Amino acid sequence: MNYEGLKIPNHVAIIMDGNGRWAKERGMTRSEGHKAGFSMLKKLTEYIFSRGIKVLSVYAFSTENFKRSKQEVNFLMNLFETKFKEYADIVKKKGIRVVFSGKKASPLPDKVIRIMQEIEEDTKENKVGILNLCVNYGGHLEIVEATKKICKLVQEGKLSLEEITEENFSHYLFQDLPPIDFMIRTSGEIRISNFMLYQLSYAEMYFSKVYFPSFDCQCFDDAILAYNKRNRRFGGIQDENENN
Ligand code: FPP
C-alpha cells in the first residue's frame, strides 16, 4: 500500500504472539511455528522500514519465556544463534542500526550474547533507523536496572537527584529510544505482558486476532489505517474552545 498522505508512526512495537497456536492449527510443532514467525518477521521488517517508520521494536523473548519447556527454549536459543546475523544483515544494508534490549547475561547462552554484541558493534554507525530486538527482556527488569544505574551514579557523586528528569530518564534504560507511537499485538490477546512499559506510556494500541506467522504486510497496512483514525491527545483536549 502507498503510505503517501498517511500519518506514519515514528516508533512501532510488535508483540509477536500466536506462533504456537498457528502451528497447532496446522498439526505442526511449536518450533515450526517459531520458524514461520521468523520468516514473517523478516518480510515485515523490510516492509516497515521501507514505509518510513524509523524505529521498530519487537518482543522476541521475555525473561518469563525461560519458564517454557527446555526443548522450546533450546529451539529458540538455537534460532537466535543461527538467524540473528542473517536478520541483521538484511537491515544493515539499508542503513539500519540493530540494538538489543534485555539482560545480556545468563540464562542466555554465551554464544547468543556474543552475537548480539557483535551485531550492535557492527551496525552502531547506521543512522537511517533502529531495529530494537527485545531478548531476555522484561519491562519491570528494565526499570529496576535503570534505577540501579542511576543510584550508582548518585552514590559515586557523578549525578545529583535534580539532574534526573523525565527528559533524560530514558538514557538509563536498556536502549535510549523515542517513545512508542503504535503498538501491535497479534493473536487476540489483549494485554501488554511486561513489554516496554516505560516507552508505551502514550502509545496507540492495536490488537489483531491474526496469529503472528500469518500477520503479513497487508495486515500491517490495516493496522496503519486504524492508527490513522486515532486521535492522539497526549492527555490534552482536542478543541481548546470546547465548553467545560
Ligand atoms: C509468542 O508466541 C512468540 C514467542 C515467545 C517467540 C517469538 C519469536 C519469533 C517470532 C522468532 C524471532 C526470531 C528471530 C531470530 C528474531 P507463542 O509461542 O506464545 O504462541 P502461543 O501463544 O500461540 O503458544
Side-chain angles (χ1 to χ4, degrees):
M1 187 177 85
N2 187 343
Y3 281 24
E4 237 179 73
L6 289 178
K7 278 186 284 181
I8 299 176
N10 180 55
H11 185 173
V12 170
I14 307 180
I15 302 182
M16 308 181 286
D17 198 7
N19 292 349
R21 281 164 285 166
W22 179 91
K24 195 171 175 204
E25 263 188 4
R26 288 161 179 77
M28 295 159 94
T29 62
R30 294 183 59 80
S31 300
E32 285 170 308
H34 293 314
K35 234 168 93 182
F38 176 56
S39 292
M40 190 53 84
L41 176 61
K42 282 192 289 186
K43 285 188 202 129
L44 270 177
T45 304
E46 283 201 86
Y47 185 69
I48 288 171
F49 284 118
S50 78
R51 289 297 176 270
I53 285 125
K54 295 288 180 223
V55 186
L56 172 65
S57 291
V58 295
Y59 209 176
F61 199 88
S62 72
T63 47
E64 292 80 18
N65 287 152
F66 277 108
K67 291 186 217 149
R68 294 187 176 203
S69 74
K70 219 172 157 186
Q71 190 192 3
E72 183 167 352
V73 171
N74 284 346
F75 179 85
L76 280 165
M77 291 305 136
N78 204 40
L79 190 71
F80 297 159
E81 192 184 318
T82 53
K83 303 294 183 188
F84 272 165
K85 260 201 92 25
E86 171 191 324
Y87 183 37
D89 281 345
I90 297 173
V91 294
K92 186 181 148 187
K93 286 192 205 113
K94 315 265 182 211
I96 309 287
R97 178 177 170 204
V98 183
V99 296
F100 292 86
S101 287
K103 206 157 180 181
K104 292 186 186 75
S106 172
L108 272 184
D110 288 344
K111 247 188 171 164
V112 172
I113 296 172
R114 257 202 318 278
I115 290 167
M116 286 160 57
Q117 287 164 337
E118 278 165 23
I119 291 172
E120 283 186 337
E121 181 61 30
D122 190 33
T123 62
K124 71 174 187 219
E125 303 299 341
N126 286 359
K127 300 270 187 284
V128 176
I130 302 173
L131 171 62
N132 172 43
L133 301 176
C134 295
V135 179
N136 195 18
Y137 176 86
H140 284 173
L141 175 70
E142 178 166 40
I143 295 169
V144 170
E145 291 287 313
T147 309
K148 284 185 185 169
K149 278 185 217 165
I150 291 171
C151 288
K152 190 160 180 280
L153 290 172
V154 172
Q155 245 177 3
E156 291 168 351
K158 292 179 182 155
L159 189 70
S160 72
L161 289 184
E162 294 68 37
E163 282 172 313
I164 307 161
T165 64
E166 286 193 41
E167 283 68 40
N168 68 21
F169 189 83
S170 65
H171 298 347
Y172 305 96
L173 297 170
F174 286 128
Q175 299 295 338
D176 190 0
L177 300 168
I180 295 169
D181 301 290
F182 191 38
M183 189 210 86
I184 298 170
R185 181 172 189 148
T186 59
S187 94
E189 309 293 347
I190 304 182
R191 54 177 174 264
I192 300 179
S193 300
N194 204 16
F195 182 53
M196 301 191 80
L197 301 177
Y198 188 83
Q199 299 88 341
L200 279 171
S201 55
Y202 271 107
E204 293 297 326
M205 298 192 185
Y206 180 85
F207 297 94
S208 163
K209 289 213 161 72
V210 177
Y211 295 145
F212 185 71
S214 299
F215 192 87
D216 57 15
C217 300
Q218 209 180 323
C219 294
F220 186 79
D221 288 343
D222 292 341
I224 289 292
L225 291 175
Y227 176 79
N228 272 262
K229 292 199 182 116
R230 304 285 174 89
N231 176 12
R232 302 188 77 195
R233 292 193 296 274
F234 300 95
I237 51 169
Q238 190 179 19
D239 185 351
E240 292 291 342
N241 298 321
E242 238 169 58
N243 286 341
N244 279 319

